[in-house]
Amino acid sequence: MNSVYCPIDDEGHYIQLHTIIASGDAALVAHRDDMAIKMAIVYANYTLEEVEENRSKIRREQEVWRRIQPDFETPVEGIVQCLDLPGDTIEMKYMSGGTLSKWLEHRARPSIQLQKRWFRQLAIGLHNLHQRRVIHSDILSRNILLDGSLNVAICDLGASSIMPIDTIMANAVDEYNCSIWTDLCQLGLVFYEIATGRMTSISLYDNGGSDNAVARFPSRDMLPALGKRLWARDIIETCWREGGYGAAGAAGILAKLDKLHVPRRRRR
């Protein structure tokens, strides 16, 4: 392959295309040994300005990781473990199960027991982000990874915002109008995909032709209908009400899960 079309890593080496496991507008993730390494997309024909623009986005995300996980030896529950931040890269634990979106697309619907486990793990992860005064802003099933034991964890902090450490998160919005409530709304959409097997394409930035850089909490009629017999109906509906979980935030999901009785499926 022409080297012009082969990306270059942080040390100036060409990246083997078969090692790339994810790629976006400005960054890619390559699999090396037991790590997933996120780095800026750089090609041989890029100008210095293009290189710096993409690398600056990695450095911005590094700051988010430093807020969330200052000790690389101590992972944060519900969030993919960061192993190191060398140069303009982010080294993370490799999650062999791939993305939740692909898992849901290609597998049978998970059991209710597994669904509840995923709900709990994701709620804990989001709660831990908010406790560290970080708004994720991009909670989507493609930004959730599974390990080999089917545990889920939140990843991709490239769109996240760091708030001042004394911020009252229930009242806070970032420069894009994202908040813990928009995070919870997005988490509710992920829960919907898990519980129903139906994928959604709803975006907080679909604003009928207005400035798409600014998020809007969607009205209820923009969100999917929920069947009355859906076991997670109340959890999801509360995610879809702005401020629905009150001062508890994402921790309120855990309280609902603890109180929830899900009838076992009858054996045939």
Side-chain angles (χ1 to χ4, degrees), residues 177-220:
N177 204 44
C178 293
S179 65
I180 67 170
W181 309 119
T182 55
D183 276 358
L184 279 163
C185 180
Q186 289 185 314
L187 185 61
L189 288 167
V190 173
F191 286 169
Y192 172 83
E193 293 177 358
I194 292 171
T196 67
R198 304 186 190 103
M199 306 306 287
T200 68
S201 57
I202 297 167
S203 171
L204 299 181
Y205 300 93
D206 288 340
N207 297 319
S210 62
D211 184 0
N212 282 343
V214 178
R216 294 284 185 271
F217 196 97
S219 60
R220 182 61 186 87

Side-chain angles (χ1 to χ4, degrees), residues 33-231:
D33 300 321
D34 294 327
M35 294 187 298
I37 305 175
K38 188 170 185 177
M39 64 192 80
I41 292 177
V42 175
Y43 291 100
N45 61 346
Y46 270 22
T47 65
L48 290 176
E49 289 77 12
E50 289 173 313
V51 172
E52 176 57 25
E53 181 180 0
N54 286 354
R55 286 184 172 171
S56 68
K57 293 176 181 178
I58 294 293
R59 291 194 291 271
R60 180 184 181 278
E61 185 173 347
Q62 286 178 328
E63 291 306 309
V64 180
W65 280 108
R66 290 187 179 100
R67 168 67 71 84
I68 293 169
Q69 192 192 328
D71 179 3
F72 298 136
E73 299 297 323
T74 306
V76 177
E77 189 174 359
I79 302 170
V80 171
Q81 183 179 3
C82 181
L83 302 174
D84 201 359
L85 299 170
D88 291 335
T89 67
I90 300 167
E91 294 181 351
M92 298 167 286
K93 177 184 176 183
Y94 175 65
M95 302 285 279
S96 61
T99 66
L100 178 61
S101 58
K102 287 186 178 179
W103 197 99
L104 293 172
E105 183 180 354
H106 297 294
R107 303 290 186 93
R109 193 183 311 176
S111 67
I112 291 180
Q113 182 180 7
L114 183 55
Q115 291 178 36
K116 289 182 69 177
R117 190 172 102 197
W118 286 351
F119 277 39
R120 182 173 296 277
Q121 290 171 340
L122 294 173
I124 289 171
L126 189 57
H127 175 69
N128 284 333
L129 282 175
H130 293 164
Q131 285 290 95
R132 289 159 175 78
R133 304 304 189 262
V134 170
I135 298 170
H136 189 283
S137 305
D138 204 20
I139 299 287
L140 305 171
S141 54
R142 68 170 181 262
N143 292 333
I144 294 166
L145 299 178
L146 295 94
D147 66 14
S149 300
L150 296 185
N151 296 302
V152 291
I154 296 169
C155 70
D156 196 349
L157 305 177
S160 299
S161 294
I162 304 173
M163 309 302 286
I165 202 65
D166 60 350
T167 298
I168 299 173
M169 293 297 282
N171 303 328
V173 294
D174 69 7
E175 60 184 311
Y176 304 106
N177 204 44
C178 293
S179 65
I180 67 170
W181 309 119
T182 55
D183 276 358
L184 279 163
C185 180
Q186 289 185 314
L187 185 61
L189 288 167
V190 173
F191 286 169
Y192 172 83
E193 293 177 358
I194 292 171
T196 67
R198 304 186 190 103
M199 306 306 287
T200 68
S201 57
I202 297 167
S203 171
L204 299 181
Y205 300 93
D206 288 340
N207 297 319
S210 62
D211 184 0
N212 282 343
V214 178
R216 294 284 185 271
F217 196 97
S219 60
R220 182 61 186 87
D221 61 355
M222 293 176 60
L223 301 168
L226 299 177
K228 292 183 179 180
R229 299 181 64 182
L230 184 68
W231 75 266

Side-chain angles (χ1 to χ4, degrees), residues 232-267:
R233 177 186 173 94
D234 181 51
I235 291 173
I236 296 171
E237 285 285 7
T238 308
C239 287
W240 291 347
R241 291 199 306 271
E242 190 168 9
Y245 280 104
I253 297 170
L254 303 177
K256 283 187 179 290
L257 284 170
D258 289 339
K259 294 178 181 178
L260 191 64
H261 172 69
V262 180
R264 294 182 179 179
R265 294 177 180 174
R266 293 181 180 178
R267 293 182 178 178

